[in-house]
Amino acid sequence: MKKSSGPPHHFPFFLPLYSHESTRGNEMKLPHRRKLVSAFSFISTSPTSHSFRHHNFVHPIASPRRTSTTKNKTSILVKMSESNQNYNNNTNNGQETIEAQRAKGGFRYVEDVAPGLKLDMELKTIHHTSISDIQEVQVIDSYFGKTLVTDGKTQSAEHDEFVYHESLVHPALFWSALLSGTASSSPSSSPSSSLRHPPGTAPKSVFIGGGGELATAREVLRHSTISRLVMVDIDPQVIDVCKRFLPEWGGQAVLDHPKFQLVVGDAHKYLMETKETFDVIIMDISDPIEAGPGIALYTQEFYRRAKELLSKPNGVFVTQAGSADFVPHPHAFPEVGRENGDGDASRETTCFAPIMNTLATVFDHAVPYSCPVASFGEDWGFVMAFDGGE
């Protein structure tokens, strides 16, 4: 889960600091996807300054996006298009075509990207809608194809889910292999085959926090070295809905894989109590909303615990980090709010920089990077953290 639907908040535990540096056997039949490894861009870091696009990393900023639970849940927004209210029925031998019915109804899927900025697109089909103990869960068909929506926010879409999930997984797993001193990869031309490392090399064990779509696990299991993958997600209904309606995301092939273990529960509690170590820890979770369930997974305390559970010397931690702001959000600039007299000037709307800054207080290196996710309407950020080396 990624996007949140709650109000923006300040998070005093985000310290506004700079970064210190800055198996061929048992291969699974993974769902086909269009690209093997998506492009991602690393942001260079320096011990004296950090900036990303319009943000100075010295400022603590919080995000209102992509969490799975808030007190005031927002369901999918479907509205009648005003431009279609006067639509003249197009008939063919007395029967309207499906296209005419759709145009007549004018159903739209509208999602807030930032204050004053929305994504507005045709809503073709609602495949599923339900309410779990955690959140509202829907699968729709829109401009970006089949889309998972929770609490009114897009979580992943058929058009570009692979961009998000590949960018979250592969840099960390390959970096773990590099840190072990044994990295060497020669990806097969087949999109459904494994990403190969020399036999017996790292990474072997991986933990995923969240990841209910199963696509993050799908990408991890492409790596031939993996011997154990543990995924802990709090909402079993999301997993079941994705298995039924979004099998291309991973589905039953992931759930049935002999290396995969699913735990339904609290990822924070699991990591705090486990004695197992992992080569890579991947957090595919909600943004840090003050009233949301994901906030405890962004603190120094949690990052220190994750560091204790990482293998040496090749342990790597990676987390999704919210909007990377390729379109500047008005509230990211408090001085603008003051100048315009626009409400609370202290409101800011990204968590990318604070997550990196907090990780940098725990690990030797915290590396931010981003990729464009069209269905989110913006670039999306990630932070990879590790110790040792230059």
Side-chain angles (χ1 to χ4, degrees):
M1 300 296 101
K2 302 98 194 171
K3 282 189 176 181
S4 68
S5 56
H9 295 278
H10 279 297
F11 300 98
F13 59 82
F14 280 139
L15 299 185
L17 302 176
Y18 294 122
S19 171
H20 295 175
E21 294 275 353
S22 96
T23 68
R24 294 190 183 185
N26 296 325
E27 287 183 1
M28 68 186 292
K29 296 291 185 179
L30 291 167
H32 176 78
R33 72 203 195 290
R34 287 168 288 180
K35 295 185 180 180
L36 188 61
V37 181
S38 60
F40 49 87
S41 58
F42 285 94
I43 310 301
S44 62
T45 62
S46 115
T48 57
S49 66
H50 288 282
S51 62
F52 178 74
R53 299 193 182 272
H54 303 279
H55 298 301
N56 186 325
F57 281 161
V58 94
H59 295 299
I61 311 172
S63 171
R65 296 184 58 75
R66 294 189 193 271
T67 202
S68 57
T69 299
T70 58
K71 291 183 178 179
N72 298 317
K73 293 186 176 180
T74 304
S75 63
I76 182 172
L77 178 58
V78 182
K79 70 175 186 179
M80 297 292 292
S81 172
E82 291 181 1
S83 62
N84 290 325
Q85 288 180 355
N86 296 321
Y87 178 82
N88 294 321
N89 292 340
N90 180 20
T91 61
N92 182 13
N93 295 327
Q95 294 188 1
E96 294 179 333
T97 64
I98 294 175
E99 291 77 12
Q101 285 281 18
R102 181 180 298 151
K104 179 181 178 181
F107 289 109
R108 313 290 294 176
Y109 173 52
V110 183
E111 180 179 358
D112 289 332
V113 175
L117 180 63
K118 300 178 184 293
L119 282 179
D120 184 337
M121 66 197 79
E122 178 185 8
L123 176 64
K124 300 176 181 178
T125 306
I126 300 176
H127 295 286
H128 171 84
T129 183
S130 62
I131 298 178
S132 74
D133 292 337
I134 308 296
Q135 59 203 330
E136 187 174 21
V137 183
Q138 289 153 326
V139 177
I140 66 171
D141 198 342
S142 71
Y143 180 86
F144 295 107
K146 285 194 293 184
T147 303
L148 174 66
V149 179
T150 64
D151 286 344
K153 294 293 183 180
T154 296
Q155 300 302 318
S156 59
E158 183 178 9
H159 171 72
D160 53 14
E161 61 84 11
F162 71 94
V163 177
Y164 171 91
H165 292 107
E166 291 180 4
S167 298
L168 175 64
V169 170
H170 298 311
L173 268 66
F174 280 121
W175 196 256
S176 175
L178 284 168
L179 290 176
S180 72
T182 58
S184 174
S185 64
S186 55
S188 165
S189 59
S190 171
S192 63
S193 63
S194 296
L195 296 178
R196 308 193 191 284
H197 306 256
T201 62
K204 295 181 179 181
S205 58
V206 176
F207 174 89
I208 299 172
E213 296 128 308
L214 300 172
T216 299
R218 177 197 69 202
E219 294 305 318
V220 171
L221 291 169
R222 295 188 190 280
H223 289 255
S224 60
T225 60
I226 300 302
S227 59
R228 176 164 167 76
L229 170 59
V230 179
M231 187 185 97
V232 181
D233 192 280
I234 200 169
D235 193 346
Q237 189 158 318
V238 169
I239 298 169
D240 182 64
V241 167
C242 291
K243 179 182 71 173
R244 290 167 53 203
F245 295 97
L246 305 172
E248 304 89 345
W249 273 239
Q252 200 65 47
V254 167
L255 293 170
D256 291 343
H257 198 281
K259 300 175 182 179
F260 178 75
Q261 178 187 356
L262 171 64
V263 177
V264 175
D266 185 335
H268 181 274
K269 183 175 185 292
Y270 184 94
L271 288 179
M272 287 297 177
E273 296 178 355
T274 188
K275 296 180 180 179
E276 185 175 4
T277 60
F278 301 93
D279 294 324
V280 179
I281 295 176
I282 301 171
M283 303 308 295
D284 184 14
I285 53 175
S286 310
D287 274 4
I289 295 299
E290 196 164 19
I295 193 169
L297 299 168
Y298 292 91
T299 64
Q300 279 185 323
E301 176 193 21
F302 175 73
Y303 291 154
R304 290 192 184 105
R305 177 56 180 165
K307 181 176 178 176
E308 293 173 355
L309 298 176
L310 286 172
S311 306
K312 304 294 188 295
N314 61 292
V316 177
F317 178 93
V318 66
T319 183
Q320 77 87 16
S323 170
D325 243 2
F326 91 103
V327 174
H329 297 179
H331 298 301
F333 308 97
E335 65 277 5
V336 174
R338 283 193 294 268
E339 291 171 1
N340 298 337
D342 183 21
D344 182 2
S346 67
R347 289 187 298 166
E348 298 170 335
T349 59
T350 73
C351 57
F352 189 23
I355 290 171
M356 188 213 70
N357 291 334
T358 307
L359 278 166
T361 68
V362 176
F363 292 87
D364 293 343
H365 308 273
V367 182
Y369 60 102
S370 67
C371 67
V373 183
S375 61
F376 290 177
E378 53 193 330
D379 281 9
W380 208 252
F382 310 86
V383 182
M384 184 170 65
F386 52 92
D387 284 333
E390 290 296 330

